[in-house]
Amino acid sequence: MNAGKRGALIIFEGCDRSGKSTQSQLLVALLNSKGIPALPMNFPERSSIIGQVINSYLTNSKDLPDEVIHLMFSTNRWEHMNYIKQNLHEGRTVVVDRYSFSGVAYSAAKGLDFDWCYAPERGLIKPDAVFYLRAPPADLTNRTQYGEERYEKVEFQGRVAKVFDRICSEQGSYWHQFDATKPVEDLHAQIASITEELLPKVGTQPLEML
Ligand code: DGP
Ligand code: NA
Ligand code: NA
């Protein structure tokens, strides 16, 4: 079906409650229904030892200096790189809910230096596409469960959104921006059509690094 061809690394980014989890699940289900091997992941991946520390931090049961938690989020991505690489080389498309850009956006929103935040992300696998679900944070606060974790405050999310906007404008054509306030099915249709165009193209392209 996909012999000798690698899968694509597809990332969803955006503020909390922007619909990333819903859209990434819909995309994986669609690809699998068409016989295209695809698997879901999300960062932070909370089951590893580092992931458990991150979970304690996010649920406010643990405090850590901003720089320390930043590097732990990055380490959490690094510890899963071989797994991602192997899956891509075996022809599976990996659909990830958050990646390096969340790392930069959430830490830079606290006031850490943008370039310092990006540095530990260098060398991670560069995504083939980033789907950025963009919405004014005030529109997201009434979605379910908003407000339970550390970062889920509208003022902070506004600063996160500004950093995502900057990254989107700097990273260029592999970023695709969507209006996250649109109906789920409309967004899914747009995302599906970009993905279906992308997959045949990446199959023979070497992996790049951030
Ligand atoms: P999620 O499981 O996608 O809801 O993410 C949990 C929270 O962690 C969410 O508020 C975004 C934040 N987050 C995700 N990745 C990073 C990261 O690399 N650095 C920081 N500081 N925050 C992150
Ligand atoms: Na969240
Ligand atoms: Na999520």
Side-chain angles (χ1 to χ4, degrees), residues 16-17 20-21 42-44 46 54 57-58 69-70 73-74 77 97-100 102-104 106-107 110 121 149-152 157:
D16 287 271
R17 311 298 158 195
K20 298 179 305 306
S21 303
N42 62 285
F43 288 117
R46 302 190 194 208
I54 292 170
Y57 175 84
L58 288 171
I69 192 65
H70 180 80
F73 272 108
S74 184
R77 286 182 279 278
D97 186 346
R98 296 192 184 281
Y99 199 58
S100 302
S102 283
V104 177
Y106 283 75
S107 290
K110 298 172 184 171
E121 307 302 321
E149 286 200 337
R150 182 180 288 262
Y151 294 136
E152 298 185 339
Q157 296 283 327

Side-chain angles (χ1 to χ4, degrees), residues 14-187:
C15 289
D16 287 271
R17 311 298 158 195
S18 54
K20 298 179 305 306
S21 303
T22 302
Q23 290 299 332
S24 53
Q25 284 162 22
L26 286 171
L27 183 59
V28 170
L30 176 75
L31 295 175
N32 287 334
S33 77
K34 296 188 170 200
I36 299 167
L39 63 106
M41 282 191 75
N42 62 285
F43 288 117
E45 194 290 301
R46 302 190 194 208
S47 74
S48 69
I49 292 171
I50 287 164
Q52 290 169 37
V53 176
I54 292 170
N55 186 60
S56 309
Y57 175 84
L58 288 171
T59 55
N60 292 310
S61 62
K62 189 179 190 73
D63 265 319
L64 288 167
D66 293 340
E67 291 84 354
V68 172
I69 192 65
H70 180 80
L71 295 171
M72 292 190 98
F73 272 108
S74 184
T75 303
N76 185 236
R77 286 182 279 278
W78 276 105
E79 65 182 347
H80 293 90
M81 267 318 104
N82 281 339
Y83 173 79
I84 293 178
K85 193 179 288 179
Q86 190 178 340
N87 275 287
L88 293 173
H89 284 317
E90 288 172 2
R92 277 174 225 105
T93 284
V94 183
V95 177
V96 192
D97 186 346
R98 296 192 184 281
Y99 199 58
S100 302
F101 316 101
S102 283
V104 177
Y106 283 75
S107 290
K110 298 172 184 171
L112 298 188
D113 177 74
F114 184 96
D115 294 331
W116 185 90
C117 291
Y118 196 76
E121 307 302 321
R122 292 205 175 278
L124 291 174
I125 302 169
K126 184 180 176 185
D128 296 295
V130 177
F131 297 134
Y132 171 31
L133 302 185
R134 185 176 188 277
D139 289 8
L140 304 176
T141 47
N142 53 4
R143 295 191 177 185
T144 47
Q145 292 178 304
Y146 198 94
E148 280 174 10
E149 286 200 337
R150 182 180 288 262
Y151 294 136
E152 298 185 339
K153 303 187 178 65
V154 72
E155 188 264 348
F156 183 74
Q157 296 283 327
R159 281 186 273 142
V160 172
K162 285 210 179 86
V163 189
F164 274 131
D165 286 346
R166 172 180 170 182
I167 298 170
C168 184
S169 68
E170 288 179 358
Q171 289 290 319
S173 63
Y174 77 103
W175 274 61
H176 305 269
Q177 183 179 306
F178 299 93
D179 175 355
T181 64
K182 287 218 178 116
V184 169
E185 281 309 321
D186 294 6
L187 288 168

